[in-house]
Amino acid sequence: MTKKNILAPFKKIRVKASLFVLLLLVATALAFSLITLRIMNRRVLDEVIKRAETLCRSTASTAGYTLISQDLLGLDNIVYRIKTSSPDIVSMAIVNLDGKILAHSDTKRTGEPFRPAAGSLLRKAEDGTTIVEIPGPVRGLIEVRTPVVFLEKPLGSVVLAVNKAVLVEAQKEARNRILEVFGLLLLVGVASSVLLTSVLTKPVRELSAGVAELKEGKRRRPLHVYSQDELGRLTESFNDMTALITAQKDTLSRYAQDLEEAYVSTVRVLAAAIDARDTYTLGHSTRVAQLSLEFGRDFGLDTAQLEELEIACLFHDVGKIKIPDSILLKKDKLDTPEQREMMRHTEYGTEILSKASSLLKYIPAVRHHHEWYDGTGYPDGLSGKKIPLTAAIISLADMYDAVTSDRPYRHALSAEEAQAEIARLAGKQFDPELAARFVDLLKRRRPIPSLGLDNSE
Ligand SMILES: [Fe+2]
């Protein structure tokens, strides 16, 4: 797949808008999730600290009497009771003022000097309670230390360490819940954005299709106006423009038709005027046009081709306008230089038609209607299928009309004789297939009455 094909969908407004909404949705959902997680972490941590603080303070208040009475067993009992009350408690110790551990949840450490763990102090309360956060490889700990005071006399302190496992569990649960909500939100968001952009861009798509149809000349009906906003007003303007263009196009089409009819009439008059220079060629172009059209229809040409063929027939000898009367109207047979000059009427015709761009399309037929299938014709010596079809058809009709008309130096051939002559020249002067079909048509048709004399070239 080429780069152009890959990028093609991204050139659509619908896709661009969907992607934009999607990105916005993902960014919002991510930011929302992160903020929620942070707030929740804070809350859970506060809760863990609060619980540890309460537990530590209550232990300190109950341990005062036991401590002053040096009841080590009682202190062990307190530590054991608190330690087993919650699985989150990692360790608990009661330390005297000298820093010696009097009781510890890990009984082996009883009697050892207490070494405070390194961590960051989160808070220090008015009663001297300190809260330290100790970073750990996996979870980390919160250590709370509360002074033991009995009758306003400081006796030591209670040290409680709780892990943040509960925080990790809460985080895990919250993350899963957030992911579920995030996924659902994303799914709904994608569907909504696709639906929304599809609805919003529908008028734009129809407008775009309308412009394309208008460009190709197919659109005539107005587009549906979906709303009264900017797009709606744009669609209304487009409809007004379409109506205006359609009306102007119809008017132009009528003018073009009138012009075409006037043009064809002019060509007919011109052809008749050329033929009328010589009494022998009177009506020749019209008869060639009739016969060519008949053959063209029989051959299966479409309407446009037939129209072009008819005009080309009327024009086929237009170049004779430049042939001097001394040659064109000569009663005797032409000598070689005269024949050469007469043959130049195809080139003169080309020159005349090349003056107007609208007539250029008739040049192939006019220039080559004296080419021979075997390549011995003029002016370019074209052969076989290189001879344009219109020229080949005119060549047959021209020859038939010429030989079936009287000339000063010979009588007209009969229809049968002319057909035999065409058949004889098939493969030499004429395309064999066309010649066969032409003769076949001549045999089937009623002969057009000849107007008389002809001196066609
Ligand atoms: Fe001719």
Side-chain angles (χ1 to χ4, degrees), residues 396-430:
L396 282 161
D398 189 27
M399 188 268 192
Y400 180 78
D401 189 69
V403 299
T404 52
S405 304
D406 281 333
R407 293 200 176 191
Y409 46 85
R410 63 150 173 79
H411 288 295
L413 299 182
S414 67
E416 290 72 21
E417 287 169 335
Q419 288 164 20
E421 184 64 4
I422 289 170
R424 188 181 68 78
L425 291 170
K428 183 173 165 56
Q429 184 174 347
F430 305 116

Side-chain angles (χ1 to χ4, degrees), residues 273-289:
I274 296 161
D275 290 349
R277 279 181 71 200
D278 178 3
T279 49
Y280 290 104
T281 59
L282 195 66
H284 169 69
S285 296
T286 310
R287 289 195 303 277
V288 169

